[in-house]
Amino acid sequence: GENVEQHPSTLSVQEGDSAVIKCTYSDSASNYFPWYKQELGKRPQLIIDIRSNVGEKKDQRIAVTLNKTAKHFSLHITETQPEDSAVYFCAASKNTGNQFYFGTGTSLTVIP
Amino acid sequence: EPEVTQTPSHQVTQMGQEVILRCVPISNHLYFYWYRQILGQKVEFLVSFYNNEISEKSEIFDDQFSVERPDGSNFTLKIRSTKLEDSAMYFCASSVDWQRNEQFFGPGTRLTVL
């Protein structure tokens, strides 16, 4: 089955700096890679996703890059703000099924 | 904006008891999922459901678990005889269709088995 690894487990950045979270996956058949943000006590919220037919996708301060050859994808948050503080999860899924395989999460703290 | 809802938010039960966790998916969604998250660990897939039947299930989803869509709006997860290790946050999710993939999560039910 698929195995998704996520690093780092915790990340602290100064407000205004960039944050990068990296994930690797094992199954080359995976073709959909969402990122979820989970604030304390709240539901995971989809913030951005990417499919295997593109290498990069951007939405305002958030971007995701995908390297299919190396089987890794990354979340980039620029100009971080305190409200970006949360746990971020990456996931992977394949079009032969629709279950998500999640990473272990990254706790991001943005220091004002 | 429509959201997935779950009840109860917290369920405490004795080991060996049956529990039913309830979810109301987003109304025009066709695919439904249950995930669980043991404290401090990753979110794990349990089961997906489409057209009134299970489409995928993980190794975690053994005979103690079952899912049902008893009416046009609810989607339930039943654990027949709870164990201590079933203590976790259980998330329901739904998606419009399989191809689009985006899954929208509910707020979760925290299950505590004593």
Side-chain angles (χ1 to χ4, degrees):
Chain A
E2 174 65 280
N3 182 42
V4 177
E5 302 282 343
Q6 184 172 347
H7 299 280
S9 56
T10 60
L11 179 60
S12 291
V13 298
Q14 291 290 329
E15 183 177 358
D17 288 351
S18 294
V20 181
I21 303 170
K22 298 182 179 180
C23 288
T24 60
Y25 61 100
S26 59
D27 192 336
S28 56
S30 289
N31 63 354
Y32 174 69
F33 307 94
W35 284 89
Y36 283 83
K37 174 184 179 183
Q38 187 178 24
E39 296 175 70
L40 192 63
K42 296 191 176 178
R43 72 188 72 203
Q45 298 262 19
L46 178 72
I47 55 170
I48 196 166
D49 56 13
I50 192 167
R51 297 183 189 276
S52 59
N53 57 346
V54 297
E56 184 174 358
K57 184 176 177 180
K58 195 171 181 180
D59 182 4
Q60 298 182 349
R61 296 186 297 109
I62 296 172
V64 56
T65 58
L66 171 65
N67 183 326
K68 282 194 298 181
T69 305
K71 296 202 201 67
H72 66 71
F73 56 111
S74 300
L75 177 71
H76 305 253
I77 307 173
T78 58
E79 300 169 33
T80 53
Q81 300 165 3
E83 50 266 38
D84 294 330
S85 297
V87 178
Y88 291 81
F89 292 95
C90 63
S93 77
K94 325 179 239 196
N95 64 3
T96 55
N98 49 17
Q99 65 171 290
F100 282 1
Y101 298 88
F102 280 88
T104 46
T106 296
S107 178
L108 173 65
T109 302
V110 179
I111 304 164
Chain B
E1 187 177 327
E3 289 184 330
V4 176
T5 60
Q6 288 184 245
T7 54
S9 56
H10 192 190
Q11 173 91 47
V12 181
T13 190
Q14 294 291 326
M15 191 169 58
Q17 295 296 305
E18 174 183 287
V19 294
I20 297 176
L21 310 183
R22 291 184 167 79
C23 169
V24 178
I26 295 172
S27 62
N28 64 330
H29 286 190
L30 301 176
Y31 290 82
F32 315 118
Y33 315 85
W34 283 102
Y35 292 84
R36 79 170 185 194
Q37 185 179 29
I38 295 170
L39 190 63
Q41 297 184 24
K42 66 169 71 177
V43 176
E44 300 172 290
F45 171 79
L46 294 178
V47 66
S48 61
F49 190 86
Y50 169 70
N51 200 26
N52 282 320
E53 60 183 31
I54 291 172
S55 50
E56 280 183 281
K57 61 181 181 178
S58 70
E59 292 173 354
I60 303 166
F61 195 87
D62 60 23
D63 292 344
Q64 292 299 311
F65 291 88
S66 63
V67 288
E68 193 179 26
R69 188 151 163 84
D71 53 42
S73 59
N74 289 282
F75 178 52
T76 62
L77 174 70
K78 182 192 290 186
I79 309 175
R80 272 181 256 287
S81 177
T82 50
K83 308 183 195 74
L84 295 176
E85 54 266 35
D86 292 327
S87 295
M89 181 71 91
Y90 288 80
F91 291 104
C92 173
S94 68
S95 62
V96 168
D97 58 38
W98 176 70
Q99 287 295 326
R100 198 178 299 183
N101 284 116
E102 293 101 324
Q103 294 180 20
F104 295 85
F105 281 73
T109 292
R110 180 163 297 286
L111 176 64
T112 302
V113 182
L114 303 175

